[in-house]
Amino acid sequence: MPLPGPLKNMFRGSKGGEPPKGPVAPSGRQPFPKRHSGEEVTSTRTSRGLEEFFNHIRDQSGLTILDLGGATQQNVSFITNLGHRLYSEDFLQILSETFGPEDTVDQANPGRIEYFLRQALDYPEGQFDGVLVWDVLEYLEPALLNAVVDRLQKIVRPKSYMLSFFHSDDKLDAVPFYTFRIQETNTLHVAERGLHRPVQLFNNRSLEKLFSRFGSVKFFLTKERLREVIIKV
Amino acid sequence: MSNMSVGRVDENKGSATIGKAVKIVGQIFSKEDLYVDGDVEGTVEALEHRLIIGPHGTVHATVKAREVVAQGTVQGNVEATEKIEIRKDAKLVGDIRTARIIIEDGAYFKGSIDIVKPEPAKGGSKPQQSAPAPVAAAAPNNKP
């Protein structure tokens, strides 16, 4: 399903792959396409959320940063060149491996949720000084989403920050899979491949509710109708 | 055949080789470049040399080498004093300590990355064998 004009350049996802053949599945879930395969459309975007994230860790080195978008050369180089230690998790790959590429297993299953958390977010309390969440939370059903947010709160040190992206248009049918690559402290290189239907869409109120247990939540609305959200733990 | 694939095919030239039908459980200490295309469990040390894990290679081991090139599967912590390359379709699960890292698109990595400065040569009388690599990850999209 082709996106209308303004949506073509919208931030979305941290995965890439072949464009889906035919319409997006009614269940709202497409198999996660193989990363870095197929044609991609790339663009460069200013990101105030990213700028804010780096403002908070500026003038520090030796921090421990978690990137949930999988390892890319650009992100590894950027973070490590700032003198930080980077942990990389390919969150969507693990999601696909745990719940099946077509989500045939319910994301509300407590056993599966626990298994997933062990695979993707099994870290000691207060391990991280920052998390680049990107858009992966939009792929999660409510039960899994709450479990993941709970776990993130535990593994991130108090007063640290997380950066997450959410679409601001609650009428979207489909959005691309994206890979986010950091170019500068306020600039992202974004690669898009294929389409999928978001599992959940969020407005300001639902995001405030989702992160209500955190210290603060700050929104930046981009012209691409994306909310960049800085969450203080 | 492209120059790139010729280069990659010849990467194990002149190296000791563990073929894809070979499985080794234990400790490997190598004083020459080593190409692993089989299964290895334990530890692998090639402190002054290059270790290549070939596309069929599966290494469940703690790895220490001057340079590591992963084309297959590695599970374990990896320390490479000069650099580590994680090639397209490679899978590496473990913590990395190195001076430089190159990750190709399509590689899977789970773990932590510590970029460490190479220690300067001690004593001062011996000349350094090679200039230390800068403390920086390599340029994006680097493919040989």
Side-chain angles (χ1 to χ4, degrees):
Chain A
M1 182 186 294
L3 280 176
L7 297 181
K8 284 182 179 173
N9 295 322
M10 188 175 286
F11 287 153
R12 189 70 187 93
S14 55
K15 288 287 191 180
E18 302 283 355
K21 294 181 172 57
V24 176
S27 68
R29 191 62 52 85
Q30 283 286 312
F32 296 129
K34 188 169 170 58
R35 203 174 173 203
H36 305 299
S37 63
E39 289 183 16
E40 68 176 29
V41 178
T42 61
S43 58
T44 302
R45 305 281 168 182
T46 299
S47 170
R48 286 198 61 201
L50 189 70
E51 185 176 19
E52 184 86 0
F53 180 84
F54 282 117
N55 277 345
H56 291 301
I57 62 172
R58 193 177 53 188
D59 303 328
Q60 300 180 72
S61 64
L63 300 182
T64 304
I65 307 296
L66 175 63
D67 184 341
L68 296 182
T72 64
Q73 181 70 59
Q74 290 89 339
N75 294 3
V76 168
S77 298
F78 198 89
I79 299 288
T80 57
N81 283 347
L82 292 176
H84 303 309
R85 185 182 202 193
L86 179 70
Y87 279 73
S88 175
E89 288 284 358
D90 199 335
F91 189 91
L92 294 185
Q93 174 74 27
I94 299 169
L95 186 72
S96 172
E97 288 170 1
T98 304
F99 295 98
E102 295 183 63
D103 195 30
T104 52
V105 180
D106 188 1
Q107 287 188 9
N109 181 320
R112 284 280 178 177
I113 290 174
E114 189 52 41
Y115 176 81
F116 175 76
L117 293 176
R118 279 203 306 275
Q119 297 302 309
L121 295 170
D122 190 15
Y123 293 101
E125 206 165 303
Q127 165 95 357
F128 296 107
D129 301 293
V131 184
L132 295 165
V133 181
W134 306 121
D135 68 334
V136 303
L137 300 182
E138 280 195 338
Y139 288 73
L140 308 180
E141 301 281 357
L144 182 58
L145 174 66
N146 284 322
V148 166
V149 171
D150 276 348
R151 180 59 62 91
L152 285 172
Q153 190 183 22
K154 281 181 185 151
I155 65 177
V156 181
R157 196 165 296 161
K159 299 183 181 173
S160 297
Y161 291 84
M162 306 193 301
L163 173 64
S164 192
F165 294 163
F166 298 89
H167 283 92
S168 57
D169 186 341
D170 58 9
K171 293 176 183 165
L172 286 175
D173 284 333
V175 291
F177 292 93
Y178 281 87
T179 303
F180 298 103
R181 296 172 176 134
I182 303 168
Q183 279 200 331
E184 300 289 341
T185 52
N186 66 347
T187 310
L188 282 171
H189 184 266
V190 185
E192 307 173 15
R193 292 184 188 84
L195 293 173
H196 75 106
R197 184 175 295 172
V199 175
Q200 292 193 73
L201 290 166
F202 298 86
N203 56 32
N204 280 355
R205 191 169 179 174
S206 57
L207 285 173
E208 282 171 353
K209 189 178 174 189
L210 177 64
F211 297 115
S212 60
R213 70 206 90 166
F214 288 80
S216 66
V217 183
K218 190 172 179 181
F219 301 97
F220 299 95
L221 187 58
T222 71
K223 62 184 177 184
E224 293 85 16
R225 290 190 284 173
L226 187 80
R227 278 190 195 81
E228 299 183 355
V229 184
I230 288 284
I231 305 117
K232 184 178 181 184
V233 180
Chain B
M1 187 180 285
S2 70
N3 287 337
M4 183 177 74
S5 48
V6 169
R8 291 194 175 185
V9 165
D10 289 347
E11 274 182 330
N12 60 333
K13 198 175 177 183
S15 307
T17 298
I18 296 170
K20 57 186 173 185
V22 177
K23 177 171 182 173
I24 295 176
V25 179
Q27 296 175 299
I28 297 175
F29 298 94
S30 180
K31 290 192 175 179
E32 61 180 316
D33 290 354
L34 179 61
Y35 183 86
V36 177
D37 214 20
D39 287 358
V40 173
E41 288 179 24
T43 61
V44 182
E45 285 193 12
L47 296 179
E48 294 175 6
H49 300 277
R50 188 182 203 211
L51 169 69
I52 301 171
I53 296 103
H56 304 100
T58 304
V59 173
H60 289 252
T62 301
V63 171
K64 289 183 182 178
R66 189 197 73 216
E67 183 180 333
V68 175
V69 179
Q71 298 171 326
T73 300
V74 181
Q75 185 153 6
N77 297 340
V78 179
E79 193 172 331
T81 49
E82 281 190 6
K83 71 170 178 177
I84 178 163
E85 292 182 41
I86 310 175
R87 295 272 175 85
K88 179 179 181 292
D89 298 326
K91 182 176 181 182
L92 196 157
V93 178
D95 296 335
I96 291 174
R97 280 175 64 84
T98 187
R100 292 176 64 211
I101 182 164
I102 297 165
I103 300 178
E104 288 188 0
D105 282 357
Y108 178 87
F109 170 69
K110 175 186 170 77
S112 68
I113 300 169
D114 264 331
I115 300 296
V116 290
K117 289 181 182 178
E119 287 183 15
K122 290 176 183 173
S125 57
K126 282 187 178 178
Q128 267 188 284
Q129 286 188 332
S130 59
V135 183
N141 296 327
N142 44 70
K143 295 194 178 181

